[in-house]
Amino acid sequence: ILAGLVQSTKETSVIHFTAVGAALLALGRPRPTSRQFLIHGGAAVAAAAIVFVAFYSGFAANPEGIVDAFRTYTHQFSRAGDSAFTQPASYYLGMFLPHRAGVLWSGLGLFACAIAGIMLSLWKGAPAQMRAVAVFTLALVVIYSAIPYKVPWLFLTPALGFAILAGYALARLSTISKAGKYAAVSIAFLAVVELGVRSQYALGRYAGD
């Protein structure tokens, strides 16, 4: 049902579904039996399809909307190379590094903690769920960075992944020792202050930057 709702509201959901698939593979769980796969998989696809058809057809008022749901990708592919929104592959990650546009912008604290979280999540013995989050986030970063068409809000989901991974890194740091706890709290505080100051800029004088 959730997959159907996501697909009904945002065409870029196919990118997220791809990343979810990569994350599931990273979990390395045993494959279900053919009977389980048919029953559970069929029920899941049916639930998503019912929601998808209902919303795109306007609850049967506009059946052609279902066809438009697939036509949108032709439009999206044509926009992918739109010169007005074409950015280099480093564009999204560059938003977290110090750069000047009106004032100095940065999310370096969060980014550094996220990198540490990714490394810890992929390390042997890390919780499977964190490994899945790391793979999901990395897959989104690679896909979105490879697409020439770039706008900041498309990176909101990977940014959420960064926040979760950063939190995991700080949580691990806090378990090392008492000094680690103080360090984790201090780093978290500085990262929040950094993002808070930049958010005030973004909401006020420099909203257009």
Side-chain angles (χ1 to χ4, degrees), residues 89-139:
S90 60
Y91 173 76
Y92 289 123
L93 295 182
M95 291 192 301
F96 291 90
L97 302 178
H99 61 283
R100 188 168 293 279
V103 291
L104 184 66
W105 301 92
S106 174
L108 190 58
L110 172 66
F111 185 65
C113 291
I115 295 298
I118 290 172
M119 295 175 66
L120 289 169
S121 298
L122 298 179
W123 197 264
K124 186 177 180 180
Q129 293 88 340
M130 289 311 305
R131 186 166 69 252
V133 172
V135 173
F136 172 74
T137 303
L138 287 172

Side-chain angles (χ1 to χ4, degrees), residues 107 140 204:
L140 287 180

Side-chain angles (χ1 to χ4, degrees), residues 79-90:
R79 290 179 61 192
D82 190 340
S83 59
F85 296 97
T86 297
Q87 299 289 347
S90 60

Side-chain angles (χ1 to χ4, degrees), residues 34-84:
S34 297
R35 179 179 172 81
Q36 285 180 317
F37 181 80
L38 288 174
I39 295 175
H40 297 173
V45 171
I50 290 170
V51 174
F52 171 84
V53 170
F55 276 87
Y56 269 103
S57 68
F59 295 91
N62 177 33
E64 192 176 351
I66 300 172
V67 179
D68 290 336
F70 297 96
R71 286 177 182 161
T72 185
Y73 293 104
T74 303
H75 175 61
Q76 292 302 320
F77 285 135
S78 67
R79 290 179 61 192
D82 190 340
S83 59

